């Protein structure tokens, strides 16, 4: 494990993965569950948005480690790596979707978001934030305007641009926001405090708008509604979690090591939970149980912790690293491949 890794980002990724697992199999009362945990409603929308923001952070750190956005060869190298990783995510996502587990697989959508972001890596932060704001403000309108009838059957990959869950045309805002966050000094206490403060203000402000304006189609804070209010709220939560995790993790690394391990091999952990659901059966999703949720999350924590201690990088992360590094090296015709301290799932 590289000493250069930002441990807090792994902790944040771990929270994102476990949060998505809770949304998949947890009983929160929204599906007529028996003995629900109502607070699990918080797992709907927010963890997946955090996952997308962290994808942008990772892209930014990859570019910075390669030489920065002012270095044309570093940009070319990173673009090739990101595009290759995106392609692998799309392929894995399509395979998982064919398992029909009842889980809305985010990986295909995330791969498309990464491809959309690839040409934008050299833009200044203000431009990226502006584009992210446009995606939050108008993404739902654009998605509904371009979504054709039979979108899935006609275009199972391209259709994820306007899909009912995680539409890439709107969710690209999260990735662009993450690229900007990744340019900050994330180890600095001042930066961490700023992220927490701004995130709390944005999330609270969006929630206040929802309370004042009610549950209309434009202002509703309903999960996966992709209104400007919901997306701003989710973005604020994601930024605050990243800031808090980067502050807390170095002070409590031993206690948080299982969560850190899940985040360090987030793609492998995500795929593992889908495989477990496939083996047990889709009733884990359609008939949720918090007993099953606790068992599944403990399995993921224990497996990731043991794997990281004994074998290091996760199995799917190894593939991403090897294939994307090779693609980057080819793209710059023999430029030495730097060791990436942020080798994570996208």
């Amino acid at each position: 494990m590289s000493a250069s890794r930002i441990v807090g980002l792994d902790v944040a990724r771990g929270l994102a993965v476990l949060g998505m697992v809770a949304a998949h199999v947890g009983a929160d009362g929204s599906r007529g569950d028996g003995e629900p945990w109502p607070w699990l409603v918080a797992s709907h929308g927010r963890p997946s948005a955090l996952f997308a923001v962290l994808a942008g952070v990772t892209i930014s750190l990859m570019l910075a480690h390669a030489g920065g956005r002012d270095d044309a060869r570093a940009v070319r190298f990173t673009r090739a790596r990101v595009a290759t990783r995106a392609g692998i995510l799309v392929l894995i996502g399509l395979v998982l979707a064919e398992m029909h587990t009842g889980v809305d697989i985010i990986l295909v959508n995330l791969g498309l978001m990464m491809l959309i972001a690839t040409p934008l890596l050299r833009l200044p932060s203000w431009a990226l934030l502006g584009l992210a704001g446009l995606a939050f403000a108008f993404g739902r309108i654009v998605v509904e305007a371009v979504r054709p009838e039979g979108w899935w059957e006609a275009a199972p990959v391209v259709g994820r641009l306007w899909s009912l869950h995680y539409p890439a045309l709107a969710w690209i805002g999260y990735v662009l926001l993450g690229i900007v966050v990744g340019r900050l000094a994330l180890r600095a206490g001042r930066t961490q405090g700023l992220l927490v403060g701004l995130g709390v203000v944005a999330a609270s402000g969006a929630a206040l708008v929802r309370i004042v304006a009610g549950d209309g189609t434009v202002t509703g804070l309903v999960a996966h509604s992709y209104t400007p209010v919901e997306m701003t709220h989710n973005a604020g939560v994601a930024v605050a979690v990243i800031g808090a995790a980067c502050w807390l993790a170095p002070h409590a690394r031993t206690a948080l090591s299982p969560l850190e391990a899940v985040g360090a091999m987030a793609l492998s952990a995500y795929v593992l939970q889908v495989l477990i659901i496939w083996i047990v059966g889709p009733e884990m999703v359609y008939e949720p149980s918090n007993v099953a949720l606790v068992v599944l999350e403990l399995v993921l924590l224990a497996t990731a912790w043991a794997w990281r201690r004994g074998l290091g990088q996760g199995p799917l992360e190894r593939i991403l690293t090897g294939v994307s590094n090779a693609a980057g090296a080819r793209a710059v015709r023999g430029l030495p491949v730097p060791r990436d301290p942020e080798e994570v799932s996208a």
Side-chain angles (χ1 to χ4, degrees):
M1 184 184 308
S2 171
S4 299
R5 290 185 72 92
I6 300 177
V7 179
L9 295 179
D10 285 332
V11 170
R13 290 185 195 99
L15 288 172
V17 172
L18 296 186
M20 288 188 288
V21 173
H24 298 156
V25 304
D28 57 31
S30 64
R31 290 174 280 183
D33 315 320
E35 299 183 5
W37 296 343
W39 55 269
L40 283 179
V41 171
S43 69
H44 294 288
R46 297 170 184 86
S48 48
L50 173 59
F51 201 55
V53 172
L54 286 164
V57 174
T58 298
I59 291 171
S60 193
L61 293 173
M62 288 167 60
L63 177 57
H65 189 78
R69 56 194 171 103
D70 294 328
D71 184 333
R73 299 189 80 193
V75 171
R76 185 174 179 182
F77 175 76
T78 304
R79 282 174 173 164
R81 294 187 68 204
V82 172
T84 301
R85 287 172 173 232
I88 293 173
L89 289 184
V90 168
L91 291 175
I92 294 174
L94 290 174
V95 172
L96 295 181
E98 287 301 311
M99 293 181 176
H100 303 293
T101 58
V103 174
D104 289 309
I105 305 297
I106 193 175
L107 299 182
V108 178
N109 308 62
L110 192 58
L112 289 178
M113 295 175 220
M114 292 167 62
L115 287 174
I116 295 171
T118 298
L120 308 177
L121 299 185
R122 304 190 78 166
L123 290 182
S125 294
W126 64 264
L128 292 174
L129 288 176
L131 291 173
L134 289 174
F136 292 162
F138 302 108
R140 171 174 168 166
I141 296 173
V142 172
V143 165
E144 292 182 346
V146 303
R147 180 186 291 144
E149 292 292 333
W151 63 271
W152 172 253
E153 293 80 1
V157 175
V158 177
R160 298 300 185 102
L161 292 169
W162 49 73
S163 56
L164 297 176
H165 288 94
Y166 322 121
L169 290 176
W171 273 55
I172 183 61
Y174 292 132
V175 176
L176 298 180
L177 173 62
I179 292 175
V180 174
V181 171
R183 292 175 176 177
L184 303 177
L186 293 174
R187 289 188 175 88
R190 183 175 181 179
T191 301
Q192 295 160 2
L194 179 65
L195 290 176
V196 172
L198 291 176
V200 168
V201 169
S204 301
L208 182 61
V209 169
R210 185 267 187 193
I211 293 171
V212 172
D215 291 321
T217 57
V218 174
T219 59
L221 195 59
V222 179
H224 301 301
S225 62
Y226 312 125
T227 63
V229 171
E230 189 223 351
M231 298 196 75
T232 300
H233 173 81
N234 289 349
V237 171
V239 168
V241 168
I242 291 170
C246 286
W247 174 81
L248 178 62
H251 303 290
R253 189 166 186 181
T254 299
L256 295 174
S257 59
L259 188 59
E260 176 191 347
V262 171
M265 47 188 292
L267 177 59
S268 296
Y270 181 92
V271 171
L272 178 59
Q273 60 108 9
V274 176
L275 292 176
I276 291 173
I277 293 171
W278 177 64
I279 292 169
V280 174
E283 59 270 17
M284 284 190 73
V285 175
Y286 298 121
E287 300 175 14
S289 161
N290 288 325
V291 174
L293 169 62
V294 170
V295 171
L296 179 53
E297 297 210 330
L298 287 176
V299 167
L300 293 178
L301 287 164
T303 302
W305 182 82
W307 184 284
R308 289 287 291 175
R309 282 181 64 89
L311 299 172
Q313 196 175 24
L316 293 179
E317 287 71 22
R318 290 176 188 267
I319 295 173
L320 284 181
T321 300
V323 176
S324 66
N325 279 352
R330 286 194 300 271
V332 295
R333 296 180 182 177
L335 178 72
V337 179
R339 291 190 59 182
D340 191 338
E342 290 300 328
E343 291 298 352
V344 295
S345 67

